[in-house]
Amino acid sequence: MAYPAEYKYTKEHEWVAVEGNIGTVGITDYAQNSLGDIVFVELPKVGDTVDAGKNFGSVESVKAVSDLFAPVTGTVTAINEALSSAPETINTAANTTWMIKVELSDAAQLSTLLSAADYEAFISEETGH
């Protein structure tokens, strides 16, 4: 699995790509592969506030329902409406299928997230591979 070097990652398997003051959030390829076929995604509403490390929604697959954790704190400025009718898109393009966009309230939080190399090392430790 390849992880874009320009993204930041959480140990809960979310990624965030930041452009200006907006963070675009999705789940990693490792997460979608672990979940299996994704059948439903629950996301917050535009205008809601999300807090770093806190739950902001869930992903339901044929195997389980998993919580989504925000990598950053801020206000939701957009949600990926296409996921309500095609949640399986995450399975085919996890690195480019975003879930929410967040206006960052504290860009310094980005320094606490993992780089792509650190995330890959974390997965290796977690899976023993």
Side-chain angles (χ1 to χ4, degrees):
M1 290 179 231
Y3 299 98
E6 66 274 20
Y7 291 5
K8 295 287 194 174
Y9 299 88
T10 69
K11 290 184 177 179
E12 290 76 31
H13 309 291
E14 285 83 16
W15 56 257
V16 60
V18 178
E19 187 171 322
N21 197 30
I22 301 295
T24 302
V25 177
I27 64 170
T28 67
D29 198 45
Y30 173 81
Q32 71 77 23
N33 192 48
S34 298
L35 287 166
D37 294 336
I38 294 172
V39 295
F40 183 75
V41 179
E42 181 181 358
L43 299 173
K45 295 179 175 69
V46 171
D48 285 355
T49 300
V50 296
D51 294 312
K54 304 285 182 167
N55 174 284
F56 73 87
S58 62
V59 174
E60 183 176 343
S61 72
V62 294
K63 292 181 181 177
V65 176
S66 295
D67 288 333
L68 297 167
F69 296 94
V72 291
T73 298
T75 303
V76 177
T77 60
I79 63 169
N80 188 344
E81 302 277 355
L83 293 177
S84 64
S85 61
E88 69 278 6
T89 306
I90 297 167
N91 290 118
T92 57
N95 286 339
T96 56
T97 303
W98 61 278
M99 295 180 167
I100 61 172
K101 293 184 184 256
V102 177
E103 183 175 356
L104 306 179
S105 62
D106 183 5
Q109 290 176 331
L110 296 170
S111 66
T112 65
L113 300 173
L114 302 173
S115 68
D118 290 342
Y119 180 70
E120 288 186 60
F122 170 73
I123 291 172
S124 292
E125 288 174 23
E126 192 172 68
T127 62
H129 296 105

